[in-house]
Amino acid sequence: MVKFENVNKTYGEDIVGLKDINLHIKPKEFVSIVGQSGAGKSTMVKLLIAEEQATEGKVIIGGWDITHLRKSRKPILRRQIGVVFQDFKLLPQKTVFENVAFAAEVCGEKRKRIKEIVPKVLEIVGLEDKLDRYPKQLSGGERQRVVIARSLIHRPKLLIADEPTGNLDSLNTKEIIDLLLRINNFGTTVILVTHNKDVVNSLRKRVIVLSEGKISSDKERGRYVI
Amino acid sequence: MFFRIIKFAFQNFYRNFWLAIVTVTMLVVALFSVSTLITLNVVLDQAVKSVEDKIDVSIYFKKDIEEAKILAAKVELSNLPEVEKVTLINQEEASLLFKEYHKEDEVILSSVDSLDENPFSNLLIVKAYNMEDYSGILKMLDKKEYSSLIEKKDFDDHKAVISKITLIKDRIKKIGYIIIAIFSFIAALIVFNTVRITIYTHRNEITIMRLVGATNWFIRAPFLFEEVFYALASCLILISIFYPLLSFLEPHFNYFLEYDFDLISYFKNNFFYIFGAQFLAVAFINSISSFIAMKKYLKA
Ligand SMILES: Nc1ncnc2c1ncn2[C@@H]1O[C@H](COP(=O)(O)OP(=O)(O)OP(=O)(O)O)[C@@H](O)[C@H]1O
Ligand SMILES: [Mg+2]
């Protein structure tokens, strides 16, 4: 599903983002990426959604070399990847339904299809009864679930979540992680970037540890130890 | 898809109603200053023209010259490309005109009548299209074949006035254009910044659109549409302010010009030049601004 081949990424002249990354994530896998602040986790995510370009090496998604993706092709890539960011917010002046529908509207989805699919993805995240609420009428966990619902609108094969539980308490965190596991069970590959030790340790899934831009450990059923 | 773009544009508009008001107000103010300057330029131009219109050359012929020679001179002068009109006033007409002009004044009338001979000369009044051309015409009249026929030319009296007016006119034109250019530039800067604020308030929306896979042109289109809409709205508002103001001011201008210049119909006749050009300019500046302002948010 996802391949990094000898990837190097430097910002400007000498800031190392990633170094000698070789990685293969198989379809339907659930992978956690951990590491200290500045280790290069978000850089990895940015390469995957073609927001940044690798300085060297290749990034391949589903057999598609996206290393030097042309601008006009980026939307096509992004419609196949769901992204959840810490600071990838909801629009405060739109309702839950409208926020999710917005993602489909701007990609030219037909109205009829939007009416069908939005309630469906909101049902997956358990917010089918809060369609008409505004973001400020939701809890932090609920808001993040709307963001996840929005990322599912194109039925992505790959879901990337960068610190999705960043500012949530442990109960809400557990809900979000359970949701990601459920999405993974439907057959979506999930890449979870996190700082949260407890989350990683309770998952018992593959863990990739980054430090100073390099992969320092990559284990099935890994644990997060520093 | 097109419908959706329009919908987003109008959502932007009424969700940011106050910003929209500010934007349109800014545009109207900018357009208004430029239009005012254009008007002033037109009025001043007209003022200069009204003075120019009063200027002509009168050529007084010696009394013993036969009329045929004068007519020949008239034809020759009329054929000059820079000459607009040549009018012949012969002795009798000159006398009549004089009497008509002084018909209240018995003393003058009787003294003219008491003369044996008509005291007036045959006279050609030459009117050129442009003030600058008079010197050429005069030079021609100085040539031998004419100078022997001519008693006097009254143009020398005008010379100083003309050169002064020409100077003022050129200066006003130049200054007018410079001021219009400066104002347009300032207006463009204001517009650019207002557009940047508009885009800035939508930065989250733009990021979301980008990351969920909207194409760049789809992200841009509603903003471009919104900006063109602002341009249109501000032009309409400008026109609705401008015409009443013009019709209010017109009598005052005309008084100042001593001249019946129909400012309103000038604007009507040049409607598309003046307001169409301003609309296009604003729409263009707005679109370019939003294009540039968005670049930052669309780069990746
Ligand atoms: N746009 C950028 N320009 C310059 N340097 C950058 C840029 N983005 C990231 N970096 C640098 O690259 C390195 C890796 O950053 P990255 O954001 O990938 O870290 P991270 O692992 O996501 O950290 P965190 O856990 O704090 O989010 C850091 O040293 C960072 O300063
Ligand atoms: Mg990060």
Side-chain angles (χ1 to χ4, degrees):
Chain A
M1 187 75 203
V2 175
K3 260 190 201 160
F4 280 75
E5 292 177 1
N6 302 314
V7 171
N8 279 309
K9 170 70 187 171
T10 47
Y11 290 104
E13 282 296 307
D14 51 1
I15 302 170
V16 177
L18 290 172
K19 219 174 160 186
D20 301 327
I21 301 290
N22 280 291
L23 184 63
H24 186 187
I25 297 171
K26 290 184 279 298
K28 303 185 184 181
E29 242 188 314
F30 190 117
V31 180
S32 304
I33 296 175
V34 299
Q36 283 179 329
S37 190
K41 308 182 292 292
S42 297
T43 302
M44 217 163 191
V45 172
K46 283 178 190 155
L47 292 182
L48 284 172
I49 58 173
E51 241 197 294
E52 293 282 355
Q53 275 195 5
T55 318
E56 282 171 50
K58 268 189 190 173
V59 180
I60 296 164
I61 295 184
W64 184 14
D65 186 346
I66 61 148
T67 322
H68 303 289
L69 201 58
R70 265 189 295 138
K71 227 182 192 164
S72 58
R73 312 279 290 174
K74 286 179 184 177
I76 300 169
L77 171 71
R78 287 171 189 166
R79 284 173 202 187
Q80 297 175 47
I81 302 177
V83 272
V84 178
F85 280 147
Q86 215 172 333
D87 54 356
F88 184 20
K89 296 185 195 84
L90 297 172
L91 295 169
Q93 72 277 46
K94 287 187 192 290
T95 64
V96 168
F97 183 94
E98 287 166 347
N99 261 289
V100 176
F102 182 68
E105 280 177 349
V106 300
C107 295
E109 202 71 74
K110 295 233 165 45
R111 238 162 19 132
K112 200 164 145 253
R113 173 140 175 77
I114 292 173
K115 280 212 178 104
E116 280 168 19
I117 196 162
V118 173
K120 247 182 225 165
V121 292
L122 281 168
E123 200 182 322
I124 292 173
V125 302
L127 288 173
E128 64 273 22
D129 52 347
K130 294 183 176 163
L131 300 181
D132 296 324
R133 298 258 191 114
Y134 285 90
K136 63 166 184 271
Q137 301 167 325
L138 298 174
S139 74
E142 286 171 333
R143 259 179 246 164
Q144 199 59 296
R145 271 146 64 189
V146 180
V147 175
I148 292 173
R150 183 178 61 191
S151 74
L152 295 176
I153 197 79
H154 300 308
R155 314 224 145 212
K157 296 237 165 53
L158 174 63
L159 180 69
I160 304 172
D162 192 346
E163 304 277 9
T165 60
N167 5 356
L168 299 180
D169 60 29
S170 56
L171 204 68
N172 275 317
T173 299
K174 190 177 175 317
E175 269 182 24
I176 296 293
I177 298 300
D178 285 347
L179 178 56
L180 291 179
L181 283 170
R182 200 134 41 86
I183 292 165
N184 179 236
N185 278 336
F186 294 155
T188 305
T189 311
V190 175
I191 298 177
L192 168 67
V193 174
T194 184
H195 265 126
N196 194 314
K197 238 183 244 188
D198 300 335
V199 165
V200 177
N201 292 342
S202 67
L203 272 172
R204 321 206 139 269
K205 301 264 186 191
R206 181 176 172 191
V207 177
I208 296 169
V209 184
L210 284 179
S211 70
E212 291 172 13
K214 285 189 196 162
I215 295 180
S216 64
S217 126
D218 180 355
K219 287 189 186 129
E220 295 297 326
R221 300 179 155 268
R223 289 180 64 77
Y224 186 7
V225 279
I226 305 173
Chain B
M1 204 66 171
F2 180 70
F3 173 74
R4 206 169 275 170
I5 286 167
I6 306 266
K7 187 183 107 184
F8 283 150
F10 276 99
Q11 272 179 5
N12 287 352
F13 184 74
Y14 67 70
R15 290 221 166 102
N16 284 287
F17 187 70
W18 285 108
L19 188 59
I21 297 283
V22 170
T23 308
V24 172
T25 310
M26 286 295 188
L27 288 173
V28 171
V29 169
L31 285 175
F32 189 79
S33 358
V34 171
S35 297
T36 307
L37 286 167
I38 291 175
T39 313
L40 276 184
N41 227 22
V42 169
V43 168
L44 284 172
D45 221 38
Q46 213 55 44
V48 169
K49 232 179 240 152
S50 75
V51 175
E52 276 182 2
D53 266 356
K54 288 180 187 139
I55 286 172
D56 47 32
V57 192
S58 302
I59 304 162
Y60 298 87
F61 288 88
K62 290 181 181 154
K63 298 226 172 53
D64 53 353
I65 302 296
E66 314 108 62
E67 200 151 327
K69 277 194 178 160
I70 297 174
L71 283 173
K74 182 185 173 202
V75 169
E76 192 167 352
L77 283 169
S78 307
N79 285 341
L80 292 176
E82 58 266 43
V83 170
E84 186 183 346
K85 205 168 89 185
V86 183
T87 317
L88 169 67
I89 298 181
N90 60 31
Q91 288 179 303
E92 290 72 36
E93 284 166 331
S95 165
L96 286 176
L97 282 173
F98 183 84
K99 285 178 184 163
E100 174 70 21
Y101 190 74
H102 293 282
K103 66 174 178 248
E104 311 286 309
D105 198 330
E106 289 297 328
V107 183
I108 291 184
L109 285 182
S110 60
S111 64
V112 171
D113 282 337
S114 71
L115 291 171
D116 296 340
E117 203 185 333
N118 189 335
F120 298 99
S121 312
N122 290 315
L123 129 93
L124 284 181
I125 298 174
V126 181
K127 178 118 199 59
Y129 286 107
N130 292 309
M131 296 237 299
E132 295 75 25
D133 296 332
Y134 282 111
S135 61
I137 294 169
L138 290 173
K139 221 171 256 161
M140 202 196 86
L141 293 172
D142 284 338
K143 281 192 296 190
K144 243 212 278 108
E145 68 254 47
Y146 285 114
S147 56
S148 58
L149 312 176
I150 293 171
E151 188 175 306
K152 69 164 184 157
K153 311 181 286 262
D154 73 349
F155 192 72
D156 298 335
D157 317 344
H158 295 317
K159 244 185 188 155
V161 180
I162 285 176
S163 66
K164 206 169 229 169
I165 287 178
T166 312
L167 200 72
I168 291 173
K169 186 178 129 182
D170 287 350
R171 222 173 260 172
I172 285 174
K173 272 240 163 93
K174 230 179 255 163
I175 293 174
Y177 286 137
I178 290 172
I179 292 179
I180 288 176
I182 292 173
F183 255 77
S184 308
F185 181 70
I186 294 172
L189 276 186
I190 293 172
V191 168
F192 178 63
N193 274 301
T194 335
V195 171
R196 269 187 26 188
I197 295 170
T198 311
I199 302 289
Y200 180 78
T201 59
H202 289 289
R203 66 197 180 287
N204 285 334
E205 232 158 311
I206 295 170
T207 313
I208 291 169
M209 289 196 207
R210 197 162 54 79
L211 288 182
V212 298
T215 54
N216 274 359
W217 83 260
F218 184 91
I219 299 175
R220 283 198 153 118
F223 291 98
L224 290 180
F225 184 85
E226 195 183 350
E227 294 309 329
V228 172
F229 177 75
Y230 287 158
L232 188 64
S234 51
C235 273
L236 291 179
I237 293 173
L238 172 76
I239 290 166
S240 67
I241 297 174
F242 211 66
Y243 272 104
L245 200 68
L246 267 189
S247 49
F248 170 73
L249 287 176
E250 194 176 22
H252 301 270
F253 281 138
N254 277 344
Y255 177 76
F256 162 69
L257 293 178
E258 304 178 337
Y259 187 92
D260 222 16
F261 176 53
D262 191 351
L263 206 53
I264 300 251
S265 59
Y266 176 85
F267 272 89
K268 269 188 190 136
N269 293 338
N270 294 284
F271 186 87
F272 285 102
Y273 274 122
I274 296 171
F275 296 109
Q278 291 195 65
F279 166 71
L280 285 182
V282 172
F284 180 74
I285 292 170
N286 277 5
S287 308
I288 291 286
S289 305
S290 87
F291 215 78
I292 295 171
M294 286 186 88
K295 229 183 164 101
K296 195 163 98 192
Y297 302 102
L298 291 179
K299 64 175 194 305

